[in-house]
Amino acid sequence: YKRCRDGMTVNGYTITGPNYFFLNYFQLDDNRVSKAGAGRDTIFPRFKTYQYEFFHYYELCRIYGYNCSMLKNRGCGFSFIVASILDSTYSCYPNSNSVISAYLQSYVDDTMDKVTSGLDFLNEHTDGGFFKARQVENNTMTKKASYYIMIDGQKVETGFMSKITGKVADNSRKVRGDRTNVLVQEEAGSNPILEESVIKGEELVRPGGNRIGVQIIGGTGGDV
């Protein structure tokens, strides 16, 4: 748990917390198959230098108060990395709030599916270490780590209280809500209102001028 928050250093080389979580507690589809059309297994990620560099870049953005952006080629695993960052934030920081925003519903759904698979893996395979009950809000667009208890006959919500929400932002006014620790602008290269959405997003990660979160802006190149 400590390494997933703070990372670890061995022989002068540091793995950041989100990178450690990605390598050890997140699974993705294996591109290596025995034959075409046979389906793919899920595996733990292999260590890759460009991913190691990206996680350090993300960590520097967190430390120095910048947003994080990335231009990428298709199929490099960026959406899996983003999903793992959201899952690690959800799992390691109580009361955290993370948002996936995209111009199209299909883009939000794709990343939320990866987020959900990651959370289900943690609940099933970490011997309870990262288990988070999702009794109050657990649907295709919202995952919240909380449950109900009874106090003096009243049903009270309690728990880790971290949350991940998906939002379809086909209008920049929809990029709004509570203060946000991680705001993902998914498939940015295909978003015709990206600039407006990023500006609106600053109100979530920097409420009242005080930066509390990071926007991760990434996607394959498009028309913008």
Side-chain angles (χ1 to χ4, degrees):
Y1 180 87
K2 184 177 185 298
R3 289 175 179 176
C4 288
R5 284 180 61 118
D6 305 327
M8 65 177 296
T9 300
V10 176
N11 294 329
Y13 291 93
T14 297
I15 291 282
T16 68
N19 196 179
Y20 185 93
F21 179 95
F22 177 66
L23 293 172
N24 292 280
Y25 291 99
F26 191 84
Q27 291 206 319
L28 43 72
D29 295 332
D30 189 1
N31 288 328
R32 298 171 299 179
V33 296
S34 58
K35 63 176 67 175
R40 295 189 291 177
D41 295 327
T42 56
I43 59 169
F44 289 106
R46 298 183 295 276
F47 180 89
K48 294 184 178 181
T49 302
Y50 73 88
Q51 293 176 348
Y52 173 81
E53 292 173 345
F54 174 80
F55 278 108
H56 271 283
Y57 165 55
Y58 173 65
E59 190 71 7
L60 289 170
C61 289
R62 296 174 70 195
I63 292 171
Y64 292 108
Y66 291 100
N67 291 323
C68 172
S69 64
M70 179 182 183
L71 296 176
K72 69 176 189 65
N73 62 300
R74 191 168 298 280
C76 72
F78 178 76
S79 60
F80 284 106
I81 290 174
V82 166
S84 77
I85 288 174
L86 295 169
D87 284 351
S88 67
T89 303
Y90 171 97
S91 300
C92 296
Y93 296 94
N95 304 301
S96 61
N97 184 40
S98 301
V99 174
I100 303 166
S101 175
Y103 187 73
L104 296 178
Q105 180 75 56
S106 59
Y107 296 154
V108 178
D109 290 344
D110 183 61
T111 305
M112 280 298 296
D113 285 346
K114 294 178 175 66
V115 164
T116 302
S117 295
L119 296 181
D120 290 344
F121 175 82
L122 295 175
N123 277 3
E124 185 177 353
H125 295 290
T126 59
D127 294 327
F130 276 126
F131 179 88
K132 301 286 188 297
R134 302 193 297 268
Q135 183 181 0
V136 180
E137 292 184 86
N138 185 30
N139 54 61
T140 57
M141 296 290 279
T142 305
K143 306 294 176 184
K144 188 175 183 182
S146 67
Y147 54 93
Y148 289 121
I149 61 173
M150 297 300 293
I151 299 178
D152 296 331
Q154 298 291 321
K155 190 163 66 172
V156 178
E157 184 180 6
T158 188
F160 206 68
M161 304 299 283
S162 54
K163 187 175 182 178
I164 303 173
T165 305
K167 289 187 176 184
V168 179
D170 51 4
N171 185 306
S172 63
R173 290 192 300 272
K174 296 181 180 179
V175 187
R176 60 177 66 242
D178 296 332
R179 57 101 181 106
T180 303
N181 301 102
V182 181
L183 171 59
V184 176
Q185 302 279 2
E186 183 62 284
E187 293 295 344
S190 300
N191 187 345
I193 58 168
L194 177 62
E195 184 175 353
E196 302 169 40
S197 297
V198 171
I199 292 171
K200 292 289 186 182
E202 281 297 283
E203 299 173 8
L204 304 185
V205 299
R206 197 167 58 180
N210 298 313
R211 180 170 290 278
I212 63 166
V214 178
Q215 291 195 66
I216 301 176
I217 307 156
T220 308
D223 296 330
V224 295

